[in-house]
Amino acid sequence: MSDAEKASSRSLVEVTDLTVDFGELRAVDGLSFRLEQGAALALVGESGSGKSTVASALLGLHRGTGARVGGSVEVAGTDVRQASDDELRRLRGGKAAMVFQDPLSSLDPYYAIGDQIAEVYRVHARGSRRAARARAVDVLDRVGIPDAHRRSRSRPHEFSGGMRQRALIAMALACEPDLLIADEPTTALDVTVQAQILDLLHTLREETGMGLLLVTHDVGVAAESVDEVLVMRHGQTVEQGSVDAVLGAPAQPYTRELLGAVPRVDAPRAPSRAAGEVVLEARGLRREFGRGKRAFLAVDDVSLTIRRGETLGVVGESGSGKTTLGRMLVGLLEPTAGEIRPGGGVRPDVQMVFQDPVSSLNPRRSVGESIADPLRARDMGVPTLERSREWGRDEGRIRGRVRELLERVGLEAAHYDRYPHEFSGGQRQRVGIARALAADPRVIVCDEPVSALDVTTQAQVVALLGELQRELGLALVFVAHDLAVVRQVSDRVAVMRRGRIVESGPADEVYDNPQDPYTKQLLAAVPALDPRIAARRRAARREPAVT
């Protein structure tokens, strides 16, 4: 066989017995797979499964990091492990390109989007500045950026999250690569923008014939986007095959466990006990930011009631006003108009669990001290003698209560003196829940509490919240863009758009018989685990959207 025939018979990606070690940790252990030109493969697994490590190995990104890479990796005819630095540079961006999870950290905040794309084109295609500029506008238009010529002069902060992700995809397409590697490209996006990005990747693959390697912890995203699935755990292959076979009839217990943890938008919540008395009521809430011509109305005439023992789900896209509403309910923001009863200010009986436990926990203080803060703060202003009968300065009693809370949320009492960086994402969220419970609240507002977690960890945190609710009679306000999770946890649902509630009612009624066109649009964008249903929905989404 001639060299030309050998080259033509090769797969686009050939990985054989790949191992990646970081010190004593083996992150990838004997992984093998192939990807043909024009095909799409998803690497699916929980955080720490090694899937992103594999994606980086395809482009030789571990070189110079101290990681030890073994086995064979060949991409678009390039032996990645044996390639020179110049050969790797030609591979990256030229024959293979990568789209990362966080576009803000991947784009330079000081330079226009178009200039950054043009620079990639000039480095790899050796084109003129004028040609590079034209190419940047062309690929921005190709990925659906409106008025691409004008928007190419915008900087990253002037784009929404979905537009920034489109810009990254445009940058990856600048040199017409044979392979696109997408590492969790939709994790931080709301459901409709996620659907748009997945549809875009599908269309680009059809039009260009490029191969797609999708890295994701979301099984639904894989079902929407690929031909084959490789399920990973602890750096190894658990199961591999066509998306229909793996998701439709999984052979391995771990795959079935992953699928079982995926919340379903078509699965009604188990009957809950009757809600009790009203514990929080909002009437005519309005919140503006800015003044004059630059004023922005984030929440517009919202009214709702929350009862003891129930969960109110609040759903909507980014910018719908749901987080602003949640912060007003807690007292972190004062309404421009309207009222919240009872009381005002930051109420000790209304607490919040935030989306990102990393930024909401002080990295320089132990988690125990962070949980103890509400215990110390709630008695401020009470006379010393009276306070001493409760918590006062009895640090031993405070420490004991914090240890109880740690154990109550599934952690260990000994974790009191550990720091946030020593915990996983799911464990940090449990710390956030413990801190909220320290104030003995009647209501907890959960702002996207599981959006950054993989499906099994997400299921664990949701189960914990449900258990605490039943045991303590808590009312929960569950703010999220993930409609499947919201249905799983909610008794009632309020759908927000542009600051207003457009539809509300019992969860099953809203989901099974939505009345507002916007609610129908949101539900149509939720990923389906059945690839055939996903294809039908993708076709339906090509119809004009709600404006």
Side-chain angles (χ1 to χ4, degrees):
M1 185 181 291
S2 67
D3 289 343
E5 289 173 326
K6 290 178 180 177
S8 64
S9 67
R10 290 190 187 116
S11 299
L12 177 59
V13 177
E14 293 192 28
V15 175
T16 305
D17 199 27
L18 174 65
T19 61
V20 182
D21 296 316
F22 298 99
E24 299 300 317
L25 173 66
R26 173 148 290 189
V28 179
D29 188 7
L31 199 75
S32 299
F33 65 88
R34 301 176 69 175
L35 176 64
E36 305 301 327
Q37 185 76 42
L41 168 70
L43 301 183
V44 177
E46 298 173 277
S47 299
S49 63
K51 56 189 187 296
S52 292
T53 303
V54 173
S56 295
L58 296 186
L59 296 181
L61 296 178
H62 297 304
R63 183 171 293 187
T65 66
R68 299 190 305 277
V69 180
S72 172
V73 178
E74 192 170 302
V75 177
T78 298
D79 186 333
V80 175
R81 289 195 60 217
Q82 302 301 322
S84 66
D85 289 345
D86 284 342
E87 289 172 327
L88 279 182
R89 277 192 289 270
R90 286 194 293 272
L91 173 68
R92 300 166 183 164
K95 295 181 179 179
M98 195 164 183
V99 177
F100 295 92
Q101 176 176 347
D102 181 10
L104 269 183
S105 63
S106 304
L107 294 168
D108 192 316
Y110 295 104
Y111 292 94
I113 293 286
D115 291 342
Q116 296 184 56
I117 297 173
E119 182 64 20
V120 170
Y121 183 77
R122 290 192 67 207
V123 166
H124 291 283
R126 306 293 182 185
S128 66
R129 289 183 182 276
R130 184 174 182 177
R133 184 73 191 172
R135 179 61 178 166
V137 173
D138 179 59
V139 291
L140 283 171
D141 180 68
R142 191 174 191 177
V143 300
I145 298 294
D147 195 4
H149 187 274
R150 180 179 63 86
R151 295 311 301 267
S152 69
R153 296 189 288 270
S154 300
R155 288 174 171 77
H157 74 274
E158 299 176 271
F159 276 24
S160 67
M163 288 179 66
R164 283 194 292 265
Q165 199 61 284
R166 287 174 183 267
L168 271 189
I169 294 172
M171 186 180 294
L173 294 174
C175 298
E176 298 184 346
D178 296 319
L179 171 67
L180 181 66
I181 303 169
D183 188 2
E184 300 280 11
T186 63
T187 296
L189 305 178
D190 59 53
V191 65
T192 51
V193 179
Q194 172 180 269
Q196 292 165 12
I197 295 300
L198 295 178
D199 290 351
L200 172 62
L201 291 174
H202 183 84
T203 300
L204 290 171
R205 187 163 64 90
E206 285 184 333
E207 293 176 351
T208 66
M210 69 180 182
L212 172 66
L213 182 78
L214 177 68
V215 176
T216 181
H217 68 262
D218 191 326
V219 183
V221 167
E224 289 268 340
S225 314
V226 300
D227 311 307
E228 291 197 7
V229 173
L230 190 158
V231 179
M232 292 187 65
R233 189 184 193 192
H234 303 322
Q236 298 179 327
T237 300
V238 173
E239 187 165 356
Q240 183 176 3
S242 71
V243 65
D244 287 314
V246 173
L247 302 187
Q252 298 300 317
Y254 177 69
T255 309
R256 292 195 290 271
E257 181 184 327
L258 272 184
L259 286 167
V262 177
R264 308 293 181 98
V265 75
D266 56 353
R269 187 189 187 196
S272 58
R273 65 181 182 181
E277 72 278 7
V278 173
V279 291
L280 195 65
E281 188 175 12
R283 287 286 175 265
L285 290 186
R286 180 184 176 94
R287 175 68 197 202
E288 292 182 1
F289 293 96
R291 295 181 179 179
K293 293 182 179 180
R294 295 188 177 182
F296 171 69
L297 186 58
V299 173
D300 182 13
D301 192 25
V302 168
S303 298
L304 50 85
T305 58
I306 303 162
R307 295 180 177 274
R308 185 175 186 270
E310 76 165 353
T311 299
L312 171 67
V314 181
V315 299
E317 297 174 280
S318 298
S320 63
K322 58 187 186 298
T323 292
T324 301
L325 172 63
R327 289 176 178 266
M328 285 194 289
L329 294 178
V330 177
L332 294 175
L333 285 175
E334 288 295 325
T336 305
E339 62 175 342
I340 300 172
R341 299 192 296 265
V346 181
R347 306 165 188 81
D349 57 340
V350 184
Q351 292 294 310
M352 195 165 202
V353 174
F354 295 91
Q355 175 177 356
D356 182 6
V358 175
S359 61
S360 63
L361 293 171
N362 189 330
R364 294 181 175 84
R365 302 182 70 214
S366 73
V367 298
E369 287 302 297
S370 291
I371 295 170
D373 283 343
L375 295 173
R376 298 189 178 105
R378 70 181 187 179
D379 290 319
M380 290 178 65
V382 178
T384 302
L385 288 176
E386 203 174 311
R387 187 166 66 240
S388 65
R389 297 191 191 102
E390 289 293 326
W391 297 100
R393 297 181 180 176
D394 187 348
E395 290 299 318
R397 189 175 180 187
I398 289 176
R399 194 177 184 94
R401 175 59 176 155
V402 171
R403 288 174 179 270
E404 289 176 6
L405 289 167
L406 283 167
E407 291 179 339
R408 185 65 198 81
V409 298
L411 299 173
E412 298 177 16
H415 288 162
Y416 186 108
D417 295 311
R418 291 190 181 182
Y419 289 82
H421 72 271
E422 299 179 77
F423 294 88
S424 67
Q427 288 175 322
R428 283 193 290 261
Q429 199 58 288
R430 290 172 184 267
V431 171
I433 294 170
R435 183 175 57 182
L437 291 175
D440 290 332
R442 302 179 74 192
V443 182
I444 295 182
V445 177
C446 303
D447 184 14
E448 299 278 10
V450 297
S451 64
L453 307 177
D454 56 53
V455 289
T456 51
T457 307
Q458 186 180 89
Q460 292 164 6
V461 172
V462 166
L464 171 63
L465 287 169
E467 183 182 326
L468 292 170
Q469 182 181 41
R470 289 187 295 272
E471 182 180 305
L472 304 175
L474 295 170
L476 298 179
V477 179
F478 200 96
V479 177
H481 66 260
D482 189 325
L483 276 77
V485 172
V486 169
R487 178 162 198 175
Q488 182 182 3
V489 303
S490 301
D491 301 295
R492 292 186 296 120
V493 172
V495 181
M496 290 193 69
R497 183 173 190 242
R498 297 176 181 171
R500 300 183 69 91
I501 293 177
V502 298
E503 186 164 359
S504 65
D508 289 348
E509 289 184 14
V510 171
Y511 278 76
D512 294 338
N513 188 28
Q515 299 300 304
D516 191 88
Y518 178 68
T519 308
K520 296 176 182 178
Q521 182 180 318
L522 285 180
L523 290 169
V526 176
L529 289 178
D530 186 329
R532 291 165 295 185
I533 296 176
R536 289 200 296 269
R537 288 184 177 179
R538 186 162 48 242
R541 286 196 294 266
R542 291 174 180 169
E543 299 175 3
V546 175
T547 59

